[in-house]
Amino acid sequence: MYVHLGGGCLIRATEIIGIFPVKNNTEVYKGLKNKKGGCYETEDLSENGIIDSIVLTDNKMYLSAISSSTLQKRVNQNLIYNNGGNNG
C-alpha cells in the first residue's frame, strides 16, 4: 500500500524507515547519512514552506508539511488493510 506524504507524493509504506517530527528544525537532520554513508537525497514536499515532519527511506529524506502523527496513522491504516483487518 502507498502513503501520501503531501505535495502529490506517494511512497510504499514498506519503504519507510522512520517518521520524525521537526517543526521547521530540519538542521538537526541534515547530518544524517544513509546506509552507504552518503547524504540523503532530499525532496521538499511542503508546498507552503512549513515543514512539520521528515520521512526517511533507504535513499531519500522527504520534508513534509503533514504532521508525523498523521503520517503514522496513514502507515498504520495501510498495515491494517494489508493484514486483513483488525481482528485483534
Side-chain angles (χ1 to χ4, degrees):
M1 296 301 274
Y2 290 87
V3 178
H4 180 254
L5 303 180
C9 179
L10 296 170
I11 64 170
R12 289 184 186 269
T14 56
E15 292 179 19
I16 296 173
I17 294 172
I19 301 172
F20 307 97
V22 293
K23 303 290 184 199
N24 273 334
N25 187 12
T26 58
E27 296 298 319
V28 174
Y29 294 94
K30 287 188 177 179
L32 288 176
K33 303 292 183 191
N34 61 24
K35 289 181 181 179
K36 298 176 184 172
C39 293
Y40 280 96
E41 179 184 343
T42 303
E43 186 170 343
D44 189 349
L45 305 173
S46 63
E47 296 170 343
N48 59 2
I50 297 172
I51 299 166
D52 206 2
S53 62
I54 289 179
V55 178
L56 287 180
T57 64
D58 277 339
N59 300 310
K60 213 167 200 181
M61 179 186 305
Y62 296 91
L63 309 178
S64 178
I66 300 172
S67 75
S68 59
S69 61
T70 298
L71 291 173
Q72 187 61 53
K73 286 176 189 174
R74 291 178 183 182
V75 170
N76 290 343
Q77 183 104 21
N78 283 329
L79 291 174
I80 290 171
Y81 288 145
N82 285 339
N83 292 324
N86 189 7
N87 296 326

